[in-house]
Coordinates of all heavy atoms in Angstrom, one line a residue:
F1 N 3.0 14.3 10.0 CA 2.6 13.5 11.1 C 2.3 12.1 10.6 O 2.0 11.9 9.4 CB 1.4 14.1 11.8 CG 0.2 14.2 11.0 CD1 -0.8 13.2 10.9 CD2 0.0 15.3 10.2 CE1 -1.9 13.3 10.1 CE2 -1.1 15.4 9.4 CZ -2.1 14.4 9.4
N2 N 2.3 11.1 11.5 CA 1.9 9.8 11.2 C 0.5 9.6 11.8 O 0.4 9.6 13.1 CB 2.9 8.7 11.7 CG 2.4 7.3 11.5 OD1 1.3 7.0 11.0 ND2 3.2 6.3 11.9
Q3 N -0.6 9.5 11.0 CA -1.9 9.4 11.6 C -2.1 8.1 12.5 O -2.8 8.2 13.5 CB -3.0 9.3 10.5 CG -3.0 8.0 9.7 CD -1.9 7.9 8.6 OE1 -1.2 8.8 8.4 NE2 -1.9 6.8 8.0
S4 N -1.3 7.1 12.2 CA -1.4 5.9 13.1 C -0.8 6.1 14.5 O -1.2 5.6 15.5 CB -0.7 4.7 12.4 OG -1.4 4.3 11.2
A5 N 0.3 7.0 14.5 CA 0.9 7.3 15.7 C 0.0 8.2 16.6 O -0.1 8.0 17.8 CB 2.2 8.0 15.5
L6 N -0.8 9.1 15.9 CA -1.8 9.9 16.7 C -2.8 9.0 17.3 O -3.2 9.2 18.4 CB -2.4 10.9 15.7 CG -1.5 12.0 15.1 CD1 -2.3 12.9 14.2 CD2 -0.8 12.8 16.2
L7 N -3.3 8.0 16.5 CA -4.3 7.1 17.0 C -3.8 6.2 18.2 O -4.4 6.0 19.2 CB -4.8 6.2 15.9 CG -5.6 7.0 14.8 CD1 -5.9 6.0 13.6 CD2 -6.9 7.6 15.3
A8 N -2.5 5.8 18.0 CA -1.8 5.0 19.1 C -1.8 5.8 20.4 O -2.0 5.3 21.5 CB -0.5 4.6 18.6
Q9 N -1.5 7.1 20.3 CA -1.4 7.9 21.5 C -2.7 8.1 22.2 O -2.9 8.1 23.4 CB -0.8 9.3 21.2 CG 0.7 9.2 20.8 CD 1.3 10.5 20.3 OE1 0.6 11.2 19.6 NE2 2.5 10.7 20.5
E10 N -3.8 8.2 21.4 CA -5.1 8.3 21.9 C -5.6 7.0 22.6 O -6.2 6.9 23.6 CB -6.1 8.7 20.8 CG -6.0 10.1 20.3 CD -6.3 11.1 21.4 OE1 -7.2 10.8 22.3 OE2 -5.7 12.2 21.4
I11 N -5.2 5.9 21.9 CA -5.5 4.5 22.5 C -4.8 4.4 23.9 O -5.4 3.9 24.8 CB -5.1 3.4 21.5 CG1 -6.0 3.4 20.3 CG2 -5.1 2.1 22.3 CD1 -5.5 2.5 19.2
A12 N -3.6 4.8 23.9 CA -2.8 4.7 25.2 C -3.5 5.6 26.3 O -3.6 5.1 27.4 CB -1.4 5.2 25.0
R13 N -4.0 6.7 25.9 CA -4.6 7.6 26.9 C -5.8 7.1 27.4 O -6.1 7.3 28.6 CB -4.8 9.0 26.2 CG -5.3 10.1 27.1 CD -5.0 11.4 26.5 NE -5.9 11.7 25.4 CZ -7.1 12.3 25.6 NH1 -7.5 12.6 26.8 NH2 -7.9 12.5 24.5
H14 N -6.6 6.3 26.6 CA -7.9 5.8 27.1 C -7.9 4.4 27.6 O -8.8 4.0 28.3 CB -8.9 5.9 25.9 CG -9.3 7.3 25.5 ND1 -10.1 8.1 26.3 CD2 -8.9 8.1 24.5 CE1 -10.3 9.3 25.7 NE2 -9.5 9.3 24.6
T15 N -6.8 3.7 27.4 CA -6.7 2.3 27.9 C -5.7 2.1 29.0 O -5.7 1.1 29.7 CB -6.3 1.3 26.8 OG1 -5.0 1.7 26.3 CG2 -7.4 1.4 25.7
G16 N -4.7 3.0 29.2 CA -3.7 2.9 30.1 C -2.5 2.1 29.6 O -1.5 1.9 30.3
A17 N -2.5 1.7 28.3 CA -1.4 1.1 27.7 C -0.3 2.1 27.4 O -0.6 3.3 27.5 CB -1.8 0.4 26.4
K18 N 0.9 1.7 27.2 CA 2.0 2.6 27.0 C 2.4 2.7 25.5 O 2.6 1.7 24.8 CB 3.3 2.1 27.7 CG 4.4 3.0 27.7 CD 5.6 2.5 28.6 CE 6.7 3.5 28.6 NZ 6.4 4.8 29.1
P19 N 2.4 4.0 25.0 CA 2.7 4.1 23.6 C 4.2 4.0 23.3 O 5.1 4.4 24.1 CB 2.3 5.6 23.3 CG 2.4 6.3 24.6 CD 2.1 5.3 25.7
M20 N 4.5 3.3 22.2 CA 5.9 3.2 21.7 C 5.9 3.5 20.2 O 5.8 2.6 19.4 CB 6.5 1.8 22.0 CG 7.9 1.7 21.7 SD 8.6 0.0 22.0 CE 8.6 0.0 23.8
V21 N 5.9 4.8 19.9 CA 5.6 5.2 18.5 C 6.7 4.9 17.5 O 6.5 5.0 16.3 CB 5.1 6.7 18.4 CG1 3.9 6.9 19.2 CG2 6.3 7.6 19.0
D22 N 7.9 4.7 18.0 CA 9.0 4.4 17.1 C 9.5 3.0 17.2 O 10.7 2.7 16.8 CB 10.2 5.4 17.4 CG 10.7 5.2 18.9 OD1 10.0 4.5 19.7 OD2 11.7 5.8 19.2
A23 N 8.7 2.1 17.6 CA 9.1 0.7 17.7 C 9.4 0.1 16.3 O 10.3 -0.8 16.2 CB 8.1 -0.2 18.4
L24 N 8.6 0.4 15.3 CA 8.8 -0.1 14.0 C 9.3 1.0 13.0 O 8.9 2.2 13.2 CB 7.5 -0.7 13.5 CG 6.9 -1.9 14.2 CD1 5.5 -2.2 13.7 CD2 7.9 -3.1 14.1
V25 N 10.0 0.6 12.0 CA 10.5 1.6 11.0 C 10.2 1.0 9.6 O 10.2 -0.2 9.4 CB 12.0 1.9 11.2 CG1 12.3 2.6 12.5 CG2 12.8 0.6 11.1
R26 N 9.9 2.0 8.7 CA 9.7 1.6 7.3 C 11.0 1.8 6.6 O 11.5 3.0 6.5 CB 8.6 2.4 6.7 CG 8.0 1.7 5.4 CD 6.8 2.3 4.9 NE 5.6 2.0 5.7 CZ 4.5 1.3 5.3 NH1 4.6 0.8 4.1 NH2 3.5 1.1 6.1
R27 N 11.7 0.7 6.3 CA 13.1 0.8 5.8 C 13.2 1.4 4.4 O 14.2 2.0 4.0 CB 13.7 -0.6 5.7 CG 13.9 -1.2 7.1 CD 14.2 -2.7 7.0 NE 14.6 -3.3 8.3 CZ 14.5 -4.6 8.5 NH1 14.1 -5.4 7.6 NH2 14.9 -5.0 9.7
R28 N 12.1 1.3 3.6 CA 12.2 1.9 2.3 C 10.8 2.4 1.9 O 9.8 1.9 2.5 CB 12.6 0.9 1.2 CG 11.7 -0.3 1.0 CD 12.1 -1.1 -0.2 NE 11.1 -2.1 -0.6 CZ 11.0 -3.3 -0.1 NH1 11.9 -3.7 0.8 NH2 10.1 -4.1 -0.5
K29 N 10.7 3.3 1.0 CA 9.5 3.9 0.6 C 8.8 2.9 -0.3 O 9.4 2.4 -1.3 CB 9.7 5.2 -0.1 CG 8.4 6.0 -0.4 CD 8.7 7.3 -1.1 CE 7.5 8.1 -1.4 NZ 7.7 9.4 -2.0
T30 N 7.5 2.6 0.0 CA 6.8 1.7 -0.8 C 5.6 2.4 -1.6 O 5.2 3.5 -1.1 CB 6.1 0.6 0.0 OG1 5.4 1.2 1.1 CG2 7.2 -0.3 0.7
P31 N 5.2 2.0 -2.7 CA 4.2 2.6 -3.5 C 2.8 2.5 -2.8 O 2.7 1.6 -1.9 CB 4.2 1.9 -4.8 CG 4.7 0.5 -4.5 CD 5.7 0.8 -3.4
M32 N 1.9 3.3 -3.1 CA 0.5 3.1 -2.6 C 0.0 1.7 -3.0 O 0.2 1.3 -4.1 CB -0.4 4.2 -3.2 CG 0.0 5.6 -2.8 SD 0.1 5.9 -1.0 CE -1.6 6.0 -0.6
L33 N -0.7 1.1 -2.0 CA -1.1 -0.3 -2.3 C -2.5 -0.4 -2.9 O -2.9 -1.5 -3.2 CB -1.1 -1.1 -0.9 CG 0.2 -1.1 -0.2 CD1 0.1 -1.9 1.1 CD2 1.3 -1.7 -1.1
G34 N -3.2 0.7 -3.0 CA -4.5 0.6 -3.6 C -4.5 0.0 -5.0 O -3.7 0.4 -5.8
G35 N -5.4 -0.9 -5.3 CA -5.5 -1.5 -6.6 C -4.7 -2.8 -6.8 O -4.8 -3.5 -7.8
L36 N -3.8 -3.0 -5.8 CA -3.0 -4.2 -5.8 C -3.7 -5.4 -5.1 O -4.4 -5.2 -4.1 CB -1.6 -4.0 -5.1 CG -0.7 -2.9 -5.7 CD1 0.6 -2.8 -4.9 CD2 -0.4 -3.2 -7.2
G37 N -3.5 -6.6 -5.6 CA -4.1 -7.8 -4.9 C -3.3 -8.2 -3.7 O -2.2 -7.7 -3.5
P38 N -3.8 -9.1 -2.9 CA -3.1 -9.5 -1.7 C -1.7 -10.0 -1.9 O -0.8 -9.6 -1.1 CB -4.0 -10.6 -1.1 CG -5.3 -10.4 -1.7 CD -5.1 -9.8 -3.1
Q39 N -1.4 -10.8 -2.9 CA -0.1 -11.3 -3.2 C 0.8 -10.2 -3.6 O 2.0 -10.1 -3.2 CB -0.1 -12.4 -4.2 CG -0.8 -13.7 -3.7 CD -0.8 -14.8 -4.8 OE1 -0.6 -14.6 -6.0 NE2 -1.0 -16.0 -4.3
E40 N 0.3 -9.3 -4.4 CA 1.2 -8.1 -4.9 C 1.5 -7.2 -3.7 O 2.6 -6.7 -3.6 CB 0.4 -7.3 -5.9 CG 0.2 -8.1 -7.2 CD -0.7 -7.3 -8.2 OE1 -1.9 -7.0 -7.8 OE2 -0.3 -7.0 -9.3

């Protein structure tokens, strides 16, 4: 599951906004960002 998509659906339920969980796609797998600076 995508935790952000679950949160988006809850937001939609409580605000009346419309969820669009597949609007964005991650084109390639990226490494974990922890420990990297803003520019990295």
Side-chain angles (χ1 to χ4, degrees):
F1 62 92
N2 178 357
Q3 73 281 355
S4 297
L6 296 180
L7 295 173
Q9 290 171 330
E10 289 296 328
I11 288 170
R13 190 159 69 89
H14 291 286
T15 63
K18 186 175 181 61
M20 188 181 287
V21 297
D22 59 350
L24 295 173
V25 294
R26 200 171 284 247
R27 293 168 173 160
R28 67 171 189 273
K29 188 177 180 180
T30 54
M32 300 300 289
L33 301 180
L36 299 180
Q39 292 183 342
E40 293 171 304

